[in-house]
């Protein structure tokens, strides 16, 4: 590996250096052994895979962030894979990367900053991981090629101009965690025909859905009319649009601007909100289910293919359990069914052993959903290595509080090496 030290600077730390490693430029902070991807003398192009660590002068640095303007205007950039070590993506990091069509954001990233993907016209779809709590202003401004976006139920706010000008979007479902929709968040999304607003939203900013002139249906589940600027649907021709609201609040919507301007206002009959799909994990020797929808009841089933008969005096429980779970709640449709597998591994990682009563055994739960593999029941700081089905290394992931996540392509098969055991996982 060749390393070229390019410059010294002091904006991050008195001990920070700018280096190039394998064609990627970094600001490294020697004191804390961290590295931030940054812009360089040569423009990035093609497919870029950012590693979890780099080695400079025999010292290992963890790659923890993508800096401001790192890939700014790299029009030849086509795809970027971000490792699970990265927790932040800086302002305008991918601004005007018009050739960018694919990007994998790991579950370690907690926020998408301002203007990160502004004018990335080639980006067609994106799944925001469920670690992200906020979408910054102008994050996807002008992404005209974007036809699909999945917003997880970890997001609580959608910033100003976040999706302004995303004319390729045809429908948007805002999760039940979002409380505010910023000014012009979906302004000029001319392809939108359907909008779903959850009960959690309490405020909608000025011109949030202005010039969305193809809207046919708006489903608003808020039982209390959200505080809404009167121009929120300006030039959206809502006089020709149907608004669906809870029966208990229909009169309030009919007498409150701008909602009263909808041509048809009717109850939400036949459009019952569905419970969010639960997550499955293994914590402190117990299966744990959690759901973003409050007050749900969990319906689960656990089966073990090892149990062939009940006539013997002993049953082998050393291998794998299949787990299913769905959530239900009054006033909601049942959630989609979540699935996971629970493996009993010895401390060495082997499936061999005397069973769950053996003190050396531990349960490892693996769930795959939304392009992520989630593993729980691990030791703290334990590292799991992931490989493609062809044996190619995809990268490691380190457990925090016994849990780790790894981003992979939906529909693919990855191999997770836990201790000495290799486990094949179908990525949903």
């Amino acid at each position: 590996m060749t390393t070229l030290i390019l410059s010294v600077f002091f904006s991050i730390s008195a001990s920070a250096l700018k280096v190039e490693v394998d064609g990627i430029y970094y600001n490294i902070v020697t004191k804390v052994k961290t590295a931030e991807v940054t812009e360089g003398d040569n423009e990035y192009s093609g497919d870029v895979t950012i590693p979890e660590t780099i080695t400079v002068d025999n010292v290992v640095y963890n790659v923890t962030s993508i800096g401001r303007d790192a890939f700014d205007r790299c029009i030849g950039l086509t795809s970027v894979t971000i490792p699970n070590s990265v927790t932040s993506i800086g302002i305008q990091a991918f601004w005007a990367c018009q050739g960018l069509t694919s990007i994998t954001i790991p579950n370690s990233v907690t926020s998408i900053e301002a203007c990160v993907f502004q004018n990335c016209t080639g980006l067609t779809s994106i799944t925001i991981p469920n670690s992200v709590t906020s979408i910054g202003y102008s994050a996807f401004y002008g992404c005209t090629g974007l036809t699909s976006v999945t917003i997880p139920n970890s997001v609580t706010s959608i910033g100003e101009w976040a999706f302004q000008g995303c004319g390729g979007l045809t429908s948007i479902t805002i999760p039940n965690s979002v409380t505010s929709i910023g000014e012009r968040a979906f302004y000029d999304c001319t392809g939108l025909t359907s909008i779903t607003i959850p009960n959690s939203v309490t405020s909608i900013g000025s011109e949030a859905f202005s010039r969305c002139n193809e809207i046919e249906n708006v489903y608003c589940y808020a039982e209390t009319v959200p505080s809404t600027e009167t121009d929120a649907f300006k030039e959206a021709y809502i006089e020709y649009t149907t608004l669906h609201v809870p029966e208990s609040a229909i009169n309030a919507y009919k007498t409150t601007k701008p909602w009263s301007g909808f041509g048809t206002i009717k109850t939400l009959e036949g459009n019952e909100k569905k419970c969010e799909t639960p997550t499955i994990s293994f914590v402190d020797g117990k299966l744990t289910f959690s759901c973003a929808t409050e007050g749900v009841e969990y319906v689960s089933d656990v089966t073990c293919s090892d149990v062939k008969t009940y006539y013997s005096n002993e049953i082998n429980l050393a291998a794998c359990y299949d787990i299913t779970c769905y959530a239900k709640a009054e006033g909601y449709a049942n959630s989609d069914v979540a699935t996971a597998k629970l493996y009993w591994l010895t401390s060495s990682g082997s499936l061999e052993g005397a069973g769950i009563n053996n003190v050396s055994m531990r349960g490892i739960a693996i769930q795959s959903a939304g392009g992520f593999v989630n593993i729980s029941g691990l030791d703290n700081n334990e590292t799991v290595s992931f490989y493609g089905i062809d044996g190619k290394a995809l990268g490691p992931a380190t457990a925090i509080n016994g849990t780790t996540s790894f981003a992979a392509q939906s529909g693919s098969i990855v191999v997770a090496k836990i201790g000495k055991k290799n486990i094949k996982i179908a990525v949903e």
Side-chain angles (χ1 to χ4, degrees), residues 155-176:
V155 172
T156 59
S157 63
I158 299 175
E160 298 174 351
W161 314 306
F163 294 93
Q164 179 171 333
C166 294
L169 289 176
T170 57
S171 67
I172 190 75
T173 298
I174 298 167
N176 203 37

Side-chain angles (χ1 to χ4, degrees), residues 110-128:
T110 58
S111 66
I112 296 177
E113 298 285 347
C115 309
V116 168
F117 298 101
Q118 183 173 339
N119 293 328
C120 293
T121 55
L123 198 61
T124 57
S125 67
I126 191 163
T127 298
I128 300 169

Side-chain angles (χ1 to χ4, degrees), residues 48-69:
V48 173
T49 299
I50 301 170
E52 284 203 345
T53 63
I54 59 171
T55 302
V56 179
D57 295 333
N58 296 319
V59 178
V60 176
Y61 295 84
N62 292 318
V63 180
T64 59
S65 61
I66 297 175
R68 178 171 184 157
D69 302 324

